[in-house]
Amino acid sequence: MSLALDPAAQDLLFREARTANSFTDEPVTDEQVQAIYDLVKYGPTAFNQTPLRITLVRSPEARERLVRHMAEGNQPKTAAAPLVAILSADNEFHEELPHLFPAMPQVKDLFFAERPVRENAATLNAALQAAYFIVGVRAAGLAAGPMTGFDFEGVRKEFLDDDHTPLMVVNIGRPGPDAWYPRSPRLEFDQVVTTV
């Protein structure tokens, strides 16, 4: 059975896409980021929660502050990427639920009145949205370099607040020379799928 998505698009989004480790100096514009968000905002989340928050690191001063919190091996590529995004989960996402889920406006208080419940939901659903964001970056013809090798608490204190939990840092741009490591193996269908 074939997929409905054109094979070239399948390659762009999945088969040929890799985590980029180097980038050209071609800028990533606000218009490109807007187009990415306008596409991926339609990805499903539970109760349409939409807890992902994106902090774009553009200024040299902010970049320097971020690089200090990155793991040593991630510092050079974060310093050189045309754009860096800090993806975080908004633990107060429930305040938007009456607007985002009008079919059941009481869901805000019914399910998400307690902070630990919100934090778990925010982390799960923002991680899902982060995956959509990475695919959206690829759909824009750009490469993404998502990383979790950084001081999470340092990044939270430096760029966020107590209501936001950092999830990952994503370098974004056109791939540079030797941007890719060789493709690593993947598990096969029968290794991950069980029918009961």
Side-chain angles (χ1 to χ4, degrees), residues 3-166:
L3 300 172
L5 190 65
D6 176 84
Q10 295 173 36
D11 287 343
L12 177 69
L13 299 178
F14 297 101
R15 289 193 204 97
E16 299 299 325
R18 304 272 206 310
T19 295
N21 293 295
S22 72
F23 298 90
T24 69
D25 58 3
E26 182 180 332
V28 176
T29 67
D30 287 340
E31 292 78 17
Q32 287 171 300
V33 177
Q34 176 81 49
I36 290 164
Y37 179 74
D38 285 344
L39 175 66
V40 303
K41 69 183 178 183
Y42 295 108
T45 57
F47 298 109
N48 198 32
Q49 287 176 28
T50 318
L52 180 71
R53 299 297 178 262
I54 303 166
T55 303
L56 299 178
V57 180
R58 287 203 179 276
S59 74
E61 298 79 18
R63 181 75 60 104
E64 186 176 313
R65 288 168 33 221
L66 176 59
V67 167
R68 284 196 303 260
H69 296 289
M70 301 303 295
E72 186 176 343
N74 292 334
Q75 289 178 353
K77 50 192 170 187
T78 302
L83 179 63
V84 181
I86 301 168
L87 304 187
S88 63
D90 180 358
N91 296 307
E92 296 299 312
F93 70 87
H94 69 306
E95 296 296 341
E96 301 291 341
L97 283 177
H99 167 70
L100 293 173
F101 201 66
M104 190 178 174
Q106 70 274 26
V107 73
K108 170 190 172 205
D109 298 315
L110 190 62
F111 292 120
F112 301 110
E114 296 182 18
R115 175 73 179 231
V117 173
R118 287 199 307 275
E119 288 178 356
N120 287 336
T123 298
L124 174 64
N125 287 279
L128 184 60
Q129 288 187 282
Y132 300 144
F133 180 79
I134 292 166
V135 173
V137 168
R138 293 172 174 181
L142 300 170
M147 300 169 293
T148 56
F150 62 91
D151 175 359
F152 280 68
E153 185 59 17
V155 166
R156 188 192 62 73
K157 286 181 179 177
E158 191 82 43
F159 293 96
L160 306 170
D161 60 31
D162 289 339
D163 289 330
H164 294 79
T165 302

